[in-house]
């Protein structure tokens, strides 16, 4: 009943107000009459009645308090007050909203990426129990040597800590039966792979037990993406038969949308369907480590430490049982890594850095808004004093101020969300290629929640420092604006500015370090010609190109055809794309007449295979000896060309030419015939030891890069190159054709994005901080106008007044810099592993950052300082 | 203001109003203020300004109800009367108030 009563009052405000008015008027009238009866004259009686009643306004206010469902009602009132206040002061509102929008927008955008990439749960059952096993040979720098089929069988049979285990590798096959022959990336897995992950098909079924056994009928599962884009989401696809590797394969199921893990597979097949996996060599040879991953689910009640111990035990057993098959001298070990962790990969550190930095921007923005709010508050002090005198309660005023803060923050948050949405879209267009799970990035519930929390947090942060004249001091406040509180506030505002500067330093340093890193990557001379060399990546059709002879003939044929083109200076085939994939394969070897070095690890190097003109084509100069030539055929004695780094490393002071090395412990020997100059195999690493072998001595390579050096414009030549390769054999798919300069640019994309964002954050921070400094100084000058006037009247020069103000700025900046530098050192340490060629404490960056901050704060101090210096002593003194 | 009069303790005004309403017909605000002053033999000053918030509070809590009516001098006035919930509240409050004042009295006498 009473609730209804309140509601009625709430909705019939106008009526309730008149009733209250009439009720009080009636009381006053009655009282006046009573007093008149005691003999007072009419107007004296009226005055006395008013006096006895006390504050009519306060009474009314308290009556209203009694009626309403306070929250809603005062909120409504506060909102309309707040709105009116902001409309009176649109400049303030716009600046605050913009500042907050930038801060909140940056945070929300970065958070939505972090959310999609790092935080969203993986679409697997109990993903925290999913692990990937690795075999590694750590002393040779190989973090993963893969698994052979016998390895996998033993791990699966002997383990006690895992409830399921599946092999995995990914290959590219030609799929026939669609509109046209198509290259499909295929995940090759055990029959229990999807059960292990806990993935249910959206159509059909997953693989059945036994479907990965030799002789089983080949079946396929389609990825959601492939089903949607290539088959138009056709629901009758189950049972459809495609030709692959000269065998019919039946589609049995369609997968739900899944992240591209561990590779971007378009379809999946059971292990037995892969012709490569099924070859007798692969099935029996313990060192044929074709399988790239083994996935497993840790048993319930088994800790990850116990599971890892279990896997290690099996590794040790295998080592002692088959010592010749495991590289025990090279630090062979078995390890477990969490699948969840594998997902985020390299993106994690960079994203967390960006999130932290955007958080800093928000902090700085909040400090500024707090500053603005405070100075507005001081200007409104008189207003508050009047309202207090008229009977407003302090709580009521605090609440109204808080409402205003929340209003501003909400508007800022809404604008920020808009900004974030645009930002994320822009970011994804650019970052899609190199961000894992980029498809899952977007503004979802948790992002919205994040934005709301950040918004409220900012509102509280800048709205909480509210002070007014104490009740007793209302009169003082009415008389003399704001003196006392202004002093207390100005100390707090100085602290805010120091905080802004302190937070700006790590931001600027972070941006500086990233920029320095990017600069290094951009300017590093890899030692090869990138502008005139066009690279075409080709993945051969495995079934057609099933022998060395066929593959080798194909590559030679391409080389001949391309060489015949008019604009070609030189052409070669390489096992990997320069700058991009050269470090993918490393191997151990032994040097004749040299024991293993003291640490017990055998020499190891990047192994590269190429045809004879490779070095000429990419412009890698020969130091000594000779290049590969026509005589280095499949059946000729094996030869190798090493780089200068390797020569210096293992033949200090000796001549390596003519010396022999072995990869198989002396069963066969390779003669060093040449030394080439050092070049960068990667942009972000110094030259590594490198050992080149002729393509003729490999297995013929199923995938390779055709490199052609041309004096024609590279863009037009790229088209010609594509046509020529297509002409040699149209069934061999070309995955990309680009110049090495373009390859290089592509590799720069991720660091460029990180740097751009960090620099953007730093600029925003700098701008906001400068505004903060200028604001505080301007306020302090306006507070000290009289004081400055007196100085000047006593003979202070303009210069000394300028200096007083500038000194104030410098003190703030100095303290801020000191605190900020400590924070920046942490940033340095965190970023160290992400940077190339940047020293641990980068003096260049620090110097530039400090210089920029000093310069900017001096500029920010300029306007207020000049205003101080132009104060007229006469006018200033008259103000008293 | 005179020092011989006692300021009202927080919360006691509600109690006095309920008490006044309990023994009378519906009354308007001014009459209530007069009655309280009269009953306490002018020993208690009711701040007239705080009488109305108290009345509105009681009304909102459902302890009193109000109706517009015609006053003795033929004017529109808002008349308050006690509700059943108000009577119950008055009973509880009176009891605890008496206990409280008795206790305070004991303490004061003992220490005096």
């Amino acid at each position: 009943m009473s609730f209804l009563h309140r509601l009625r009052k709430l909705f019939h405000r106008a009526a309730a107000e008149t009733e209250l008015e009439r009720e009080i008027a009636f009381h006053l009238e009655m009282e006046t009459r009573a007093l008149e009866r005691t003999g007072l004259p009419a107007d004296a009686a009226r005055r006395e009645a008013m006096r006895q009643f006390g504050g009519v306004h306060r009474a009314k206010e308290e009556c209203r308090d009694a009626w309403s469902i306070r929250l809603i009602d005062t909120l409504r009132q506060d909102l309309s007050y707040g709105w009116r206040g902001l409309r009176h002061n649109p400049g303030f509102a716009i600046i605050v909203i913009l500042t907050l929008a930038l801060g909140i927008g940056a945070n929300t955008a970065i958070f939505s990426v972090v959310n999609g990439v790092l935080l969203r749960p993986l679409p697997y059952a109990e993903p925290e129990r999913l692990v990937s096993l690795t075999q590694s040979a750590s002393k040779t720098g190989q973090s993963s040597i893969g698994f052979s089929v016998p390895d996998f069988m033993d791990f699966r049979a002997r383990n006690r800590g895992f409830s399921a285990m599946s092999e995995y590798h990914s290959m590219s096959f030609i799929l026939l039966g669609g509109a046209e022959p198509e290259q499909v990336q295929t995940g090759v897995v055990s029959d229990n792979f999807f059960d292990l992950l806990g993935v249910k098909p959206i159509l059909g079924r997953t693989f059945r037990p036994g479907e990965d056994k030799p002789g089983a009928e080949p079946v396929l599962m389609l990825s959601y993406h492939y089903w949607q884009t290539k088959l138009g989401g056709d629901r009758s696809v189950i049972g459809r038969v495609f030709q692959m590797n000269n065998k019919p394969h039946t589609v049995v199921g369609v997968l739900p949308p899944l992240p591209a893990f561990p590779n971007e597979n378009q379809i999946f097949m059971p292990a037995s369907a892969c012709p490569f996996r099924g070859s007798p060599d692969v099935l029996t040879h313990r060192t044929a480590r074709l399988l790239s991953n083994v996935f497993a689910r840790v048993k319930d009640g088994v800790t990850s430490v116990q599971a890892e111990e279990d896997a290690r035990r099996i590794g040790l057993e295998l080592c002692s049982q088959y010592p010749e098959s495991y590289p025990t001298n090279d630090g062979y070990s078995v390890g477990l890594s969490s699948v969840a962790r594998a997902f985020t990969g390299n993106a994690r550190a960079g994203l967390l850095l960006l999130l932290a930095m955007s958080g800093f921007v928000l902090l700085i923005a909040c400090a500024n808004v707090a500053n603005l709010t405070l100075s507005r508050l001081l200007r409104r002090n008189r207003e508050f004093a009047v309202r207090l005198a008229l009977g407003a309660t302090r709580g009521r005023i605090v609440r109204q101020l808080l409402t205003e803060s929340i209003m501003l923050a909400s508007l800022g948050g809404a604008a920020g969300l808009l900004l974030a949405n645009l930002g994320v879209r822009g970011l994804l267009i650019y970052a899609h290629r190199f961000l894992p799970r980029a498809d899952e990035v977007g503004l979802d519930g948790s992002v919205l929640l994040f934005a709301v929390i950040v918004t409220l947090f900012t509102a509280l942060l800048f709205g909480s420092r509210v002070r007014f004249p104490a009740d007793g001091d209302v009169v003082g406040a009415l008389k003399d604006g704001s003196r006392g509180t202004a002093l207390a506030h100005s100390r707090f505002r100085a602290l805010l500015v120091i905080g802004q500067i302190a937070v700006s330093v790590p931001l600027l340093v972070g941006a500086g370090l990233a920029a320095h890193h990017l600069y290094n990557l951009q300017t590093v001379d890899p030692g090869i010609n990138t502008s005139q060399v066009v690279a075409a990546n080709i993945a051969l059709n495995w079934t057609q190109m099933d022998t060395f002879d066929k593959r080798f003939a194909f590559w030679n044929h391409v080389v001949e055809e391309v060489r015949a083109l008019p604009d070609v200076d030189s052409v070669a085939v390489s096992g990997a794309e320069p700058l991009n994939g050269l470090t993918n394969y490393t191997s151990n070897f032994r040097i004749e007449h040299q024991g293993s070095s003291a640490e017990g690890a055998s020499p190891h190097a990047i192994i590269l295979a190429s045809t004879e003109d490779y070095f000429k084509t990419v412009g890698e100069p020969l130091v000594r000896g000779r290049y590969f030539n026509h005589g280095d055929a499949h059946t000729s004695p094996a030869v190798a060309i090493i780089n200068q780094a390797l020569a210096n490393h293992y033949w200090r002071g000796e001549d390596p030419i003519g010396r022999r090395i072995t990869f198989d412990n002396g069963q066969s020997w390779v003669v060093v015939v040449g030394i080439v100059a050092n070049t960068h195999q990667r942009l972000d690493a110094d030259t590594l030891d490198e050992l080149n072998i002729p393509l003729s001595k490999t297995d013929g390579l199923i995938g390779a890069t055709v490199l052609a050096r041309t004096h024609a414009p590279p863009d037009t030549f790229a088209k010609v190159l594509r046509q020529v390769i297509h002409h040699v054999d149209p069934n061999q798919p070309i995955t990309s054709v680009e110049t090495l300069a373009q390859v290089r640019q592509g590799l720069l994309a991720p660091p460029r994005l990180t740097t751009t964002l960090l620099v953007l954050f730093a600029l925003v921070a700098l701008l906001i901080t400068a505004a903060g400094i200028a604001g505080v100084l301007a306020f302090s000058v306006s507070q000290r106008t009289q004081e400055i006037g007196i100085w000047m009247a006593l003979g202070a020069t303009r210069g000394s007044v300028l200096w007083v103000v500038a000194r104030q700025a410098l003190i703030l900046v100095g303290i801020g810099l000191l605190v900020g530098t400590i924070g920046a050192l942490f940033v340095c340490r965190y970023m160290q592993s992400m940077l190339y060629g940047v020293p641990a404490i980068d003096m260049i960056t620090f110097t530039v950052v400090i210089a920029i901050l000093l310069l900017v704060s001096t500029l920010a101090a300029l306007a207020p300082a000049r205003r101080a210096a132009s104060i007229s002593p006469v006018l200033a003194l008259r103000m008293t | 203001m005179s020092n011989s009069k006692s300021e009202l303790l927080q919360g006691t005004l509600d109690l006095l109003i309920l008490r006044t309403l309990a023994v009378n017909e519906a009354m308007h605000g001014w009459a209530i203020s007069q009655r309280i002053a009269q009953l306490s033999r002018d020993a208690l000053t009711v701040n007239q300004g705080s009488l109305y918030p108290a009345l509105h509070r009681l009304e909102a809590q459902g302890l009193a109800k109000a109706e517009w009516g015609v006053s003795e001098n033929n004017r529109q006035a808002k008349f308050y009367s006690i509700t059943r919930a108000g009577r119950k509240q008055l009973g509880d409050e009176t009891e605890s108030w008496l206990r409280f004042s008795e206790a305070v009295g004991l303490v004061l006498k003992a220490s005096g």
Side-chain angles (χ1 to χ4, degrees), chain A residues 633-675:
Chain A
H634 190 50
T635 49
S636 318
V639 294
I641 295 175
I642 60 176
N643 70 351
Q644 188 77 58
L646 181 67
N648 294 345
H649 202 158
Y650 296 109
W651 282 281
R652 237 167 269 129
E654 294 173 57
D655 186 0
I657 304 286
R659 302 291 294 271
R660 302 203 301 171
I661 60 170
T662 177
F663 291 101
D664 47 15
N665 224 359
Q667 287 176 34
S668 61
W669 292 92
V670 180
V671 184
V672 176
V673 295
I675 304 171

Coordinates of all heavy atoms in Angstrom, one line a residue, chain A residues 633-675:
Chain A
A633 N 75.1 -33.6 -59.3 CA 73.9 -34.3 -59.6 C 73.5 -35.2 -58.5 O 74.2 -35.4 -57.5 CB 74.1 -35.1 -60.9
H634 N 72.3 -35.9 -58.7 CA 71.8 -36.8 -57.7 C 72.8 -37.9 -57.3 O 72.9 -38.2 -56.1 CB 70.5 -37.4 -58.3 CG 69.7 -38.1 -57.2 ND1 69.3 -37.6 -56.0 CD2 69.2 -39.4 -57.2 CE1 68.6 -38.4 -55.3 NE2 68.5 -39.6 -56.0
T635 N 73.5 -38.3 -58.3 CA 74.4 -39.5 -58.0 C 75.8 -39.0 -57.7 O 76.7 -39.9 -57.4 CB 74.4 -40.4 -59.3 OG1 74.6 -39.6 -60.4 CG2 73.1 -41.1 -59.4
S636 N 76.1 -37.7 -57.9 CA 77.5 -37.3 -57.7 C 77.8 -37.3 -56.2 O 76.9 -37.3 -55.4 CB 77.7 -35.9 -58.2 OG 77.0 -35.7 -59.4
P637 N 79.1 -37.1 -55.8 CA 79.4 -37.0 -54.4 C 78.7 -35.7 -53.8 O 78.5 -34.7 -54.5 CB 80.9 -36.7 -54.4 CG 81.4 -37.2 -55.7 CD 80.2 -37.1 -56.7
A638 N 78.3 -35.9 -52.5 CA 77.5 -34.8 -51.9 C 78.4 -33.6 -51.6 O 79.5 -33.8 -51.1 CB 76.8 -35.3 -50.7
V639 N 77.9 -32.4 -51.8 CA 78.7 -31.2 -51.6 C 77.8 -30.2 -50.7 O 76.6 -30.4 -50.7 CB 79.1 -30.5 -52.8 CG1 80.1 -31.3 -53.6 CG2 77.9 -30.1 -53.7
A640 N 78.5 -29.3 -50.1 CA 77.7 -28.3 -49.3 C 78.4 -26.9 -49.4 O 79.6 -26.9 -49.6 CB 77.7 -28.7 -47.8
I641 N 77.6 -25.9 -49.4 CA 78.1 -24.5 -49.3 C 77.7 -24.0 -47.9 O 76.5 -24.0 -47.6 CB 77.6 -23.6 -50.4 CG1 78.1 -24.2 -51.8 CG2 78.0 -22.2 -50.2 CD1 77.5 -23.4 -53.0
I642 N 78.7 -23.5 -47.2 CA 78.4 -23.0 -45.8 C 78.5 -21.5 -45.8 O 79.0 -20.9 -46.7 CB 79.3 -23.6 -44.8 CG1 80.8 -23.2 -45.1 CG2 79.1 -25.1 -44.7 CD1 81.7 -23.7 -44.0
N643 N 77.9 -20.9 -44.8 CA 78.0 -19.4 -44.7 C 79.2 -19.1 -43.8 O 79.8 -19.9 -43.1 CB 76.8 -18.7 -44.3 CG 76.4 -18.9 -42.9 OD1 77.0 -19.8 -42.2 ND2 75.4 -18.2 -42.4
Q644 N 79.6 -17.8 -43.9 CA 80.8 -17.4 -43.2 C 80.7 -17.6 -41.7 O 81.6 -18.0 -41.0 CB 81.0 -15.9 -43.5 CG 82.3 -15.3 -42.9 CD 83.5 -15.6 -43.8 OE1 83.5 -15.3 -45.0 NE2 84.5 -16.3 -43.2
A645 N 79.5 -17.4 -41.2 CA 79.2 -17.6 -39.7 C 79.6 -19.1 -39.3 O 80.3 -19.3 -38.3 CB 77.8 -17.3 -39.4
L646 N 79.1 -20.0 -40.1 CA 79.4 -21.4 -39.8 C 80.9 -21.7 -39.9 O 81.4 -22.4 -39.0 CB 78.6 -22.3 -40.7 CG 78.7 -23.8 -40.5 CD1 78.1 -24.2 -39.2 CD2 78.0 -24.6 -41.6
A647 N 81.5 -21.2 -40.9 CA 82.9 -21.4 -41.1 C 83.7 -20.8 -39.9 O 84.5 -21.5 -39.3 CB 83.4 -20.7 -42.4
N648 N 83.4 -19.6 -39.5 CA 84.0 -19.1 -38.3 C 83.8 -19.8 -37.0 O 84.6 -19.9 -36.2 CB 83.6 -17.6 -38.1 CG 84.0 -16.7 -39.2 OD1 84.9 -17.1 -40.0 ND2 83.4 -15.6 -39.3
H649 N 82.6 -20.4 -37.0 CA 82.2 -21.1 -35.8 C 82.9 -22.4 -35.5 O 83.4 -22.7 -34.4 CB 80.7 -21.3 -35.9 CG 80.0 -21.5 -34.6 ND1 78.7 -21.4 -34.4 CD2 80.5 -21.9 -33.4 CE1 78.3 -21.6 -33.1 NE2 79.4 -22.0 -32.5
Y650 N 83.1 -23.2 -36.6 CA 83.6 -24.5 -36.4 C 85.0 -24.7 -37.0 O 85.7 -25.7 -36.8 CB 82.7 -25.6 -37.0 CG 81.4 -25.6 -36.2 CD1 80.2 -25.1 -36.8 CD2 81.3 -26.0 -34.9 CE1 79.0 -25.1 -36.1 CE2 80.1 -26.0 -34.2 CZ 79.0 -25.5 -34.8 OH 77.8 -25.5 -34.1
W651 N 85.4 -23.7 -37.9 CA 86.8 -23.9 -38.5 C 87.6 -22.6 -38.2 O 88.1 -22.0 -39.1 CB 86.7 -24.1 -40.0 CG 86.3 -25.5 -40.3 CD1 87.1 -26.6 -40.4 CD2 85.0 -26.0 -40.7 NE1 86.4 -27.7 -40.7 CE2 85.1 -27.4 -41.0 CE3 83.8 -25.3 -40.9 CZ2 84.0 -28.1 -41.4 CZ3 82.7 -26.1 -41.3 CH2 82.8 -27.5 -41.6
R652 N 87.7 -22.3 -36.9 CA 88.4 -21.1 -36.6 C 89.8 -21.1 -37.1 O 90.6 -22.0 -36.8 CB 88.4 -20.9 -35.1 CG 87.8 -19.6 -34.6 CD 87.5 -19.6 -33.1 NE 86.2 -20.1 -32.8 CZ 85.9 -21.0 -31.9 NH1 86.9 -21.6 -31.2 NH2 84.7 -21.4 -31.6
G653 N 90.1 -20.2 -38.0 CA 91.5 -20.1 -38.5 C 91.8 -21.2 -39.5 O 92.9 -21.2 -40.0
E654 N 91.0 -22.1 -39.8 CA 91.3 -23.1 -40.8 C 90.5 -22.9 -42.0 O 89.5 -22.1 -42.0 CB 91.0 -24.5 -40.2 CG 91.8 -24.9 -39.0 CD 91.3 -26.3 -38.5 OE1 91.2 -27.2 -39.2 OE2 90.9 -26.3 -37.3
D655 N 90.8 -23.6 -43.1 CA 90.1 -23.5 -44.3 C 89.1 -24.6 -44.4 O 89.5 -25.8 -44.5 CB 91.1 -23.5 -45.5 CG 90.3 -23.2 -46.8 OD1 89.1 -23.0 -46.7 OD2 91.0 -23.2 -47.9
P656 N 87.8 -24.3 -44.4 CA 86.8 -25.4 -44.5 C 86.7 -26.1 -45.8 O 86.2 -27.1 -45.9 CB 85.5 -24.7 -44.1 CG 85.8 -23.3 -43.9 CD 87.2 -23.0 -44.3
I657 N 87.2 -25.4 -46.9 CA 87.0 -25.9 -48.2 C 87.7 -27.3 -48.3 O 88.8 -27.4 -47.9 CB 87.6 -25.0 -49.3 CG1 87.0 -23.6 -49.2 CG2 87.4 -25.6 -50.7 CD1 85.6 -23.4 -49.7
G658 N 86.9 -28.2 -48.8 CA 87.5 -29.6 -49.0 C 87.3 -30.4 -47.7 O 87.5 -31.6 -47.8
R659 N 86.9 -29.8 -46.6 CA 86.7 -30.6 -45.4 C 85.3 -31.3 -45.5 O 84.5 -30.9 -46.3 CB 86.7 -29.7 -44.2 CG 88.0 -28.9 -44.0 CD 89.1 -29.8 -43.7 NE 89.0 -30.4 -42.3 CZ 89.4 -29.8 -41.2 NH1 90.0 -28.6 -41.3 NH2 89.2 -30.4 -40.0
R660 N 85.2 -32.4 -44.7 CA 84.0 -33.2 -44.9 C 83.2 -33.2 -43.6 O 83.7 -33.2 -42.5 CB 84.4 -34.7 -45.2 CG 85.2 -34.8 -46.5 CD 85.1 -36.1 -47.1 NE 85.5 -37.2 -46.2 CZ 85.3 -38.5 -46.5 NH1 84.7 -38.9 -47.6 NH2 85.8 -39.4 -45.6
I661 N 81.8 -33.3 -43.8 CA 80.9 -33.4 -42.6 C 80.0 -34.6 -42.9 O 79.8 -35.0 -44.0 CB 80.1 -32.1 -42.4 CG1 79.3 -31.8 -43.6 CG2 81.0 -31.0 -42.0 CD1 78.3 -30.7 -43.4
T662 N 79.4 -35.1 -41.8 CA 78.4 -36.1 -42.0 C 77.1 -35.9 -41.2 O 77.2 -35.3 -40.1 CB 79.0 -37.5 -41.5 OG1 78.0 -38.5 -41.7 CG2 79.5 -37.4 -40.1
F663 N 76.0 -36.3 -41.8 CA 74.7 -36.1 -41.1 C 74.3 -37.5 -40.5 O 73.4 -37.5 -39.7 CB 73.6 -35.7 -42.1 CG 73.8 -34.3 -42.5 CD1 74.3 -34.0 -43.8 CD2 73.4 -33.2 -41.7 CE1 74.5 -32.7 -44.2 CE2 73.6 -31.9 -42.2 CZ 74.1 -31.6 -43.4
D664 N 75.0 -38.6 -40.9 CA 74.5 -39.9 -40.5 C 75.6 -40.6 -39.8 O 75.8 -41.8 -40.0 CB 73.9 -40.7 -41.6 CG 74.8 -40.6 -42.8 OD1 76.0 -40.2 -42.7 OD2 74.4 -40.9 -43.9
N665 N 76.4 -39.9 -39.0 CA 77.4 -40.5 -38.2 C 78.4 -41.2 -39.0 O 78.9 -42.3 -38.6 CB 76.7 -41.4 -37.1 CG 77.3 -41.2 -35.8 OD1 78.3 -40.4 -35.6 ND2 76.9 -42.0 -34.8
G666 N 78.8 -40.7 -40.1 CA 79.9 -41.3 -40.9 C 79.5 -42.2 -42.0 O 80.4 -42.7 -42.7
Q667 N 78.3 -42.5 -42.1 CA 77.9 -43.5 -43.2 C 78.1 -42.8 -44.5 O 78.4 -43.5 -45.5 CB 76.4 -43.9 -43.0 CG 76.2 -44.8 -41.9 CD 74.7 -45.2 -41.7 OE1 74.0 -45.2 -42.7 NE2 74.3 -45.3 -40.5
S668 N 77.8 -41.5 -44.6 CA 78.1 -40.8 -45.9 C 78.6 -39.5 -45.5 O 78.4 -38.9 -44.5 CB 76.7 -40.7 -46.6 OG 75.8 -39.9 -45.9
W669 N 79.4 -38.9 -46.5 CA 80.1 -37.7 -46.2 C 79.8 -36.6 -47.2 O 79.5 -36.9 -48.4 CB 81.6 -37.9 -46.2 CG 82.0 -38.8 -45.0 CD1 82.2 -40.1 -45.0 CD2 82.3 -38.3 -43.7 NE1 82.5 -40.6 -43.8 CE2 82.6 -39.5 -42.9 CE3 82.4 -37.1 -43.1 CZ2 83.0 -39.4 -41.6 CZ3 82.7 -37.0 -41.8 CH2 83.0 -38.1 -41.0
V670 N 79.8 -35.4 -46.8 CA 79.5 -34.2 -47.6 C 80.7 -33.3 -47.6 O 81.3 -33.0 -46.5 CB 78.3 -33.5 -47.0 CG1 77.9 -32.3 -47.9 CG2 77.1 -34.4 -46.9
V671 N 81.1 -32.9 -48.8 CA 82.3 -32.1 -48.9 C 81.9 -30.6 -48.9 O 81.1 -30.2 -49.7 CB 83.1 -32.4 -50.1 CG1 84.5 -31.6 -50.2 CG2 83.4 -33.9 -50.2
V672 N 82.6 -29.8 -48.2 CA 82.4 -28.3 -48.2 C 83.1 -27.8 -49.5 O 84.3 -28.0 -49.6 CB 82.9 -27.6 -47.0 CG1 82.7 -26.1 -47.1 CG2 82.2 -28.1 -45.7
V673 N 82.3 -27.1 -50.4 CA 82.9 -26.7 -51.6 C 82.9 -25.1 -51.7 O 83.6 -24.6 -52.5 CB 82.2 -27.2 -52.9 CG1 82.4 -28.7 -52.9 CG2 80.8 -26.9 -52.9
G674 N 82.2 -24.5 -50.8 CA 82.1 -23.0 -51.0 C 81.7 -22.4 -49.7 O 81.1 -23.0 -48.8
I675 N 82.1 -21.1 -49.6 CA 81.7 -20.3 -48.4 C 81.0 -19.0 -49.0 O 81.5 -18.4 -49.9 CB 82.9 -19.8 -47.5 CG1 83.6 -21.1 -47.1 CG2 82.4 -19.0 -46.3 CD1 84.9 -20.7 -46.4

